[in-house]
Amino acid sequence: MSVLKGACLFGQSGGPTSVINASAAGVFLEALKHDEITDIFGAAHGIKGILDEKFYDMRKEDPRELELLKSTPSSALGSVRYKLKAAEEDETDYIRIYEVFKKYNIRYFFYNGGNDSMDTCNKISKYLQSKNYECRIIGVPKTIDNDLVGTDHCPGFGSAAKYVATTMMELYLDTHVYNTPLVTIVEVMGRNAGWLTGAACLADYKGYGPDLIYLPERVFSVEGFLDDLKRVASRKKGKVLAVISEGVKDDKGRYISEYQSELDRDSFGHVQLGGAAVVLGGIVSDRLNVKVRPIEFSLMQRCAAHIASATDREEAFMAGAMAVRYAIQGNTDKMVAFARDEKSASYRIDYVLVDLSVTANAEKKVPLSWINPDNSGLTSDFVDYALPLIQGEGEYPTEDGMPRFARLKKVPAGRR
Amino acid sequence: MSVLKGACLFGQSGGPTSVINASAAGVFLEALKHDEITDIFGAAHGIKGILDEKFYDMRKEDPRELELLKSTPSSALGSVRYKLKAAEEDETDYIRIYEVFKKYNIRYFFYNGGNDSMDTCNKISKYLQSKNYECRIIGVPKTIDNDLVGTDHCPGFGSAAKYVATTMMELYLDTHVYNTPLVTIVEVMGRNAGWLTGAACLADYKGYGPDLIYLPERVFSVEGFLDDLKRVASRKKGKVLAVISEGVKDDKGRYISEYQSELDRDSFGHVQLGGAAVVLGGIVSDRLNVKVRPIEFSLMQRCAAHIASATDREEAFMAGAMAVRYAIQGNTDKMVAFARDEKSASYRIDYVLVDLSVTANAEKKVPLSWINPDNSGLTSDFVDYALPLIQGEGEYPTEDGMPRFARLKKVPAGRR
């Protein structure tokens, strides 16, 4: 193993999760243990912070506050959605990144995000290699969408799934208190992959679940949906609890949420902000003349750290810590991934490495064989897969009956 | 004190809360202790269960399951929205109620609900008295709206307020991760009283709060709102987190949520299901040309038992238990109320009785002096009032990483 001395840089990218900062804590607290790492920088707003040369000196933070990052949702350093162009197409950003890395002697770069972020890591790594600048680059996975290829699951998914399952159970009880017909349509995040929407089936597994679940992996038909509703309603005294992914599309590839906005845009020129549940709810109300309540889990599903999965939080932390350990050992151009030990009787994962190129820009979807033949529910394979990921209550310190989040000083890093 | 032997009946009414079943547990577990109470019945769907003679025999339930009611949200017996006509106007329901009470020898009646339910209690009591049928009737308060007169606060409010405060803190972090302008508009329940919407200021008290809060106690002006947004946006790099009550109305008394539905109804004849946040979001998006995210806390704010306030849960339980004790002592025509000991250095309440007629059909609103002069926030008086009510994490048993709710057998009661 070759010893590489220098600064480490960590950045957060893409949509936040309840446990994304647990990975940050993993990176920072592990980095503090290694003499090879001379400085620990946090990039403000991910790749944007590199281009703008906006770094925080994480050594100046109180280690107790770094510990509190474990239960602090959303991206503490700030996030960004920024897609690097190919270097052959436009070298500007790469020249700037190379310059900044040299200036701060950054030799370890950890980037926390989804498939776009892994693509970013990959491109930066290739460019620095072409300049013979030695830098070990490891991606740390993160996404409530759970759609990264090469890993059993992704940090952030378990906590979002626990939110969905628990909230669905609570909503089941709430929507069944009156003796009158009611169609409830809950919209869950996940544009192209139905993992998080599928987690609603965990509530059903406990007996408090939705009657119908629709993933974006299958074509969605409004007429089919109305038929399904009528079928369930006739069996259950008019009470139906349905869950749809925000990303369900019809056979022409059109998102359901686009149905109404097009109408509204045409006639009034103003924007209609309702999502798929609101739009579909309007159609159901019109066509079936029944009381409908559309519900969107909105941002809550990705930031409800108060109901984080302890398993997810621990794995997110370890993903960050293992990224540092693997880099110190000489690895680069990899992403930390979770390999489930299928031979173990109880749930167990190993922290392994996969090539960045494997995850970059690919999407893992729910296997079609895990979706019921009638397209409106999940099989027990899904339950077996997802149940271990939501185990354990992620404790969080409180102050005045509210969460005590990490308070970072965010001291700007001085140049070396 | 006169001894009155007979059956006790308990019913749940109106919109559910996270802790309404804690009051049920209080009634049932306390009733089990008293020899005067010969039977314990639960009415299915409140007053409807009386009219339909649909009672559960609560003595047949496992006491451990009754304990679990404390952390089981929503109305376990089923709820109802049913307003009794005045007896002078239509005696039918009263004749039926009298008949059923006699048949089951019901001598203790406890009804859990808001001001409508207290009105129901009051009317039934007066009617039974006119028939010389002795029955002690005590109301148990319940409402996330916190709008009952005669009590410092209402069971259910503290837990909903804790949900609002905590979720608002999480949303604050989530909506601040990107370096780009974003207006977030969160809609909170409370048609005429702004207590729950006001609870958003607790997040601000911790430093993670909304910039603007609008209660229904004040007239809402869309133009004023746009001005407020522009003012905050210019100060905070385009980032604004605003909270509105579902019940905000303009100077003509029109709900904001009605603005768009009228338009839509006119042109397409279909129903628009978006609430105030969605409608207002569309207007902001049009007028200010900025990215807007409307969020509705929807049913979650009233059923999220996983984040119940331990204080609220305990008080809800005690409200039920005290109703039984007070009735056994000979009281009737009262509601259990909370009196805050203003002289005590720490938070302390006494369980007292108020006349049903005091709370029936009245609404307590947020004092106007607790609203900032610019109408877009709350004073420290509100924080002092609400903070004690959200203290303590309401623990809940889990199974498979999800809540373990009470499982009632609901054995139909045999007639006496």
Side-chain angles (χ1 to χ4, degrees):
Chain A
M1 160 178 136
S2 66
V3 174
L4 177 66
K5 260 187 113 100
C8 110
L9 174 67
F10 174 74
Q12 296 174 316
S13 174
T17 78
S18 289
V19 300
I20 184 168
N21 290 323
S23 292
V27 166
F28 297 144
L29 293 170
E30 181 67 27
L32 281 168
K33 297 180 190 167
H34 297 275
D35 293 338
E36 292 92 332
I37 295 177
T38 51
D39 279 293
I40 305 172
F41 300 128
H45 299 286
I47 201 78
K48 189 118 189 3
I50 305 178
L51 298 171
D52 297 347
E53 210 178 315
K54 202 170 164 200
F55 295 157
Y56 306 121
D57 186 344
M58 303 312 296
R59 285 189 187 274
K60 300 268 166 69
E61 300 293 344
D62 183 337
R64 282 170 302 186
E65 297 297 331
L66 295 181
E67 275 287 337
L68 281 171
L69 282 175
K70 290 183 187 174
S71 55
T72 303
S74 304
S75 314
L77 304 175
S79 189
V80 68
R81 291 196 188 278
Y82 188 90
K83 207 162 158 62
L84 278 181
K85 284 182 190 143
E88 308 82 59
E89 206 182 304
D90 184 349
E91 212 181 329
T92 323
D93 284 347
Y94 295 91
I95 293 168
R96 175 69 180 144
I97 290 168
Y98 177 35
E99 180 186 60
V100 172
F101 270 46
K102 276 193 296 186
K103 197 182 277 183
Y104 289 82
N105 190 33
I106 290 160
R107 299 293 173 173
Y108 295 93
F109 177 48
F110 306 104
Y111 206 42
N112 195 189
N115 35 29
D116 278 357
S117 309
M118 298 309 136
D119 182 52
T120 300
C121 284
N122 206 22
K123 284 173 174 160
I124 294 175
S125 189
K126 294 286 165 299
Y127 186 83
L128 295 179
Q129 280 164 30
S130 76
K131 299 291 168 191
N132 287 317
Y133 179 86
E134 193 177 2
C135 184
R136 294 180 189 158
I137 297 186
I138 307 275
V140 182
K142 171 250 39 150
T143 168
I144 61 164
D145 291 346
N146 201 40
D147 60 353
L148 295 187
V149 171
T151 184
D152 177 76
H153 59 280
C154 304
F157 170 66
S159 294
K162 191 181 181 88
Y163 171 91
V164 166
T166 302
T167 306
M168 205 58 73
M169 288 178 72
E170 292 168 342
L171 287 178
Y172 178 91
L173 291 184
D174 192 289
T175 56
H176 283 76
V177 292
Y178 295 119
N179 217 353
T180 46
L182 173 68
V183 172
T184 307
I185 305 173
V186 180
E187 177 177 342
V188 179
M189 281 182 172
R191 207 72 180 162
N192 299 313
W195 297 102
L196 192 53
T197 305
C201 81
L202 299 173
D204 185 41
Y205 171 71
K206 297 310 291 178
Y208 306 87
D211 305 290
L212 302 164
I213 304 175
Y214 303 90
L215 309 193
E217 277 81 357
R218 293 282 197 188
V219 167
F220 184 85
S221 139
V222 170
E223 295 306 322
F225 177 62
L226 293 171
D227 286 344
D228 290 347
L229 285 183
K230 281 185 268 187
R231 184 171 43 80
V232 176
S234 71
R235 191 163 47 81
K236 296 186 70 179
K237 296 181 185 167
K239 284 257 192 276
V240 193
L241 180 55
V243 182
I244 55 165
S245 160
E246 64 175 349
V248 289
K249 284 191 267 196
D250 65 20
D251 57 359
K252 293 183 185 65
R254 208 162 59 133
Y255 288 114
I256 303 307
S257 54
E258 290 170 353
Y259 279 40
Q260 190 142 319
S261 59
E262 285 170 20
L263 287 175
D264 285 351
R265 256 179 235 274
D266 288 349
S267 20
F268 306 111
H270 66 212
V271 185
Q272 168 58 41
L273 294 173
V278 167
V279 172
L280 207 50
I283 296 171
V284 171
S285 175
D286 274 357
R287 294 278 300 274
L288 304 187
N289 194 29
V290 67
K291 192 180 170 196
V292 183
R293 189 182 270 273
I295 296 177
E296 219 185 309
F297 282 166
S298 191
L299 302 181
M300 288 82 86
Q301 64 201 299
R302 73 180 192 190
C303 69
H306 71 269
I307 186 151
S309 151
T311 301
D312 184 33
R313 186 180 287 170
E314 171 63 16
E315 289 177 353
F317 179 84
M318 284 304 297
M322 291 303 294
V324 175
R325 282 187 222 167
Y326 275 128
I328 296 282
Q329 286 168 18
N331 296 284
T332 188
D333 291 11
K334 305 283 183 186
M335 180 186 82
V336 174
F338 301 159
R340 196 185 298 219
D341 184 351
E342 299 291 356
K343 289 186 202 117
S344 168
S346 60
Y347 171 75
R348 220 190 127 267
I349 62 155
D350 292 312
Y351 299 91
V352 299
L353 293 176
V354 292
D355 287 343
L356 284 174
S357 58
V358 169
T359 47
N361 299 315
E363 276 180 329
K364 188 173 76 173
K365 306 205 174 167
V366 176
L368 295 181
S369 63
W370 291 8
I371 303 175
N372 281 343
D374 65 0
N375 281 352
S376 61
L378 283 297
T379 68
S380 63
D381 289 320
F382 190 96
V383 175
D384 294 341
Y385 167 81
L387 203 55
L389 314 182
I390 67 164
Q391 297 308 303
E393 277 47 71
E395 308 268 304
Y396 60 98
T398 57
E399 204 176 67
D400 291 330
M402 288 172 274
R404 165 65 163 89
F405 294 145
R407 295 188 191 116
L408 299 183
K409 282 183 258 175
K410 295 195 177 174
V411 178
R415 295 183 196 172
R416 301 295 112 175
Chain B
M1 157 179 139
S2 67
V3 173
L4 178 66
K5 259 188 116 102
C8 111
L9 174 67
F10 174 75
Q12 297 173 315
S13 174
T17 78
S18 289
V19 299
I20 184 169
N21 290 323
S23 293
V27 167
F28 297 144
L29 294 170
E30 182 67 27
L32 281 168
K33 296 180 190 166
H34 297 274
D35 292 338
E36 292 92 333
I37 296 178
T38 52
D39 278 293
I40 305 171
F41 300 128
H45 299 285
I47 202 77
K48 188 116 191 0
I50 305 178
L51 298 171
D52 297 346
E53 212 178 315
K54 204 173 164 199
F55 296 159
Y56 307 122
D57 186 345
M58 303 312 295
R59 285 190 187 274
K60 299 268 168 69
E61 301 293 344
D62 184 337
R64 282 170 303 184
E65 298 297 331
L66 295 180
E67 275 286 339
L68 281 171
L69 281 176
K70 290 183 187 172
S71 55
T72 303
S74 304
S75 315
L77 305 175
S79 189
V80 69
R81 290 193 189 281
Y82 188 90
K83 208 163 157 61
L84 279 181
K85 285 181 188 139
E88 308 81 59
E89 205 182 306
D90 184 350
E91 213 181 330
T92 323
D93 284 346
Y94 295 90
I95 294 169
R96 175 69 181 142
I97 290 167
Y98 178 35
E99 180 186 57
V100 173
F101 271 46
K102 277 192 296 186
K103 197 182 278 181
Y104 290 82
N105 191 33
I106 290 160
R107 299 293 174 175
Y108 295 93
F109 177 48
F110 305 104
Y111 206 42
N112 194 188
N115 34 29
D116 277 357
S117 310
M118 297 310 135
D119 181 53
T120 300
C121 284
N122 206 22
K123 284 174 175 160
I124 294 174
S125 189
K126 294 286 166 298
Y127 186 83
L128 295 179
Q129 279 164 30
S130 76
K131 298 291 166 193
N132 286 318
Y133 180 86
E134 192 179 0
C135 184
R136 295 181 189 157
I137 298 187
I138 307 273
V140 182
K142 170 249 44 147
T143 169
I144 60 164
D145 291 347
N146 201 40
D147 61 353
L148 295 187
V149 172
T151 183
D152 178 76
H153 60 279
C154 304
F157 171 65
S159 295
K162 192 181 180 86
Y163 172 91
V164 167
T166 302
T167 305
M168 205 58 73
M169 288 179 72
E170 293 168 341
L171 286 178
Y172 179 91
L173 291 184
D174 191 290
T175 55
H176 283 77
V177 291
Y178 295 119
N179 216 352
T180 46
L182 173 69
V183 172
T184 306
I185 304 172
V186 180
E187 178 178 342
V188 179
M189 280 182 173
R191 207 71 179 162
N192 299 313
W195 297 102
L196 192 54
T197 305
C201 81
L202 299 174
D204 185 40
Y205 171 71
K206 297 309 292 179
Y208 305 89
D211 305 292
L212 302 163
I213 304 176
Y214 303 90
L215 308 194
E217 277 81 356
R218 293 282 196 189
V219 168
F220 184 84
S221 138
V222 170
E223 294 307 321
F225 178 62
L226 292 171
D227 287 344
D228 290 347
L229 284 184
K230 280 186 268 187
R231 184 170 43 79
V232 175
S234 71
R235 190 163 49 81
K236 297 187 69 178
K237 295 182 185 165
K239 283 258 191 276
V240 192
L241 181 54
V243 182
I244 54 165
S245 160
E246 62 175 352
V248 289
K249 283 191 265 194
D250 65 19
D251 56 358
K252 291 181 186 67
R254 209 160 60 133
Y255 288 114
I256 303 306
S257 55
E258 290 169 353
Y259 279 39
Q260 191 141 321
S261 59
E262 284 169 22
L263 286 176
D264 285 353
R265 254 179 238 275
D266 288 348
S267 22
F268 307 112
H270 66 213
V271 184
Q272 168 59 42
L273 295 173
V278 167
V279 172
L280 208 49
I283 295 171
V284 171
S285 175
D286 274 357
R287 295 278 300 276
L288 305 187
N289 194 27
V290 65
K291 193 181 168 193
V292 183
R293 188 181 271 273
I295 296 177
E296 219 185 309
F297 282 165
S298 191
L299 302 181
M300 288 82 85
Q301 64 202 298
R302 72 179 191 191
C303 70
H306 72 268
I307 185 150
S309 150
T311 301
D312 183 34
R313 186 180 289 171
E314 172 63 16
E315 290 176 352
F317 178 84
M318 285 304 297
M322 291 304 293
V324 176
R325 284 187 221 169
Y326 276 127
I328 296 281
Q329 287 168 17
N331 296 284
T332 187
D333 292 12
K334 306 282 184 187
M335 181 187 83
V336 174
F338 301 160
R340 194 185 299 220
D341 183 352
E342 299 292 357
K343 290 186 202 119
S344 169
S346 60
Y347 170 75
R348 219 190 128 267
I349 62 154
D350 291 313
Y351 299 92
V352 299
L353 292 177
V354 292
D355 287 344
L356 283 174
S357 58
V358 169
T359 46
N361 299 313
E363 275 180 331
K364 189 173 77 173
K365 306 206 174 167
V366 176
L368 295 182
S369 62
W370 291 8
I371 303 175
N372 281 341
D374 65 1
N375 281 352
S376 62
L378 281 297
T379 68
S380 62
D381 289 321
F382 191 97
V383 175
D384 293 342
Y385 168 81
L387 202 55
L389 314 182
I390 67 163
Q391 296 307 304
E393 276 49 68
E395 308 268 304
Y396 60 99
T398 58
E399 202 177 68
D400 291 330
M402 288 172 274
R404 165 66 163 87
F405 295 144
R407 294 188 192 116
L408 299 184
K409 282 183 258 177
K410 295 195 176 175
V411 179
R415 294 183 198 170
R416 302 297 110 178

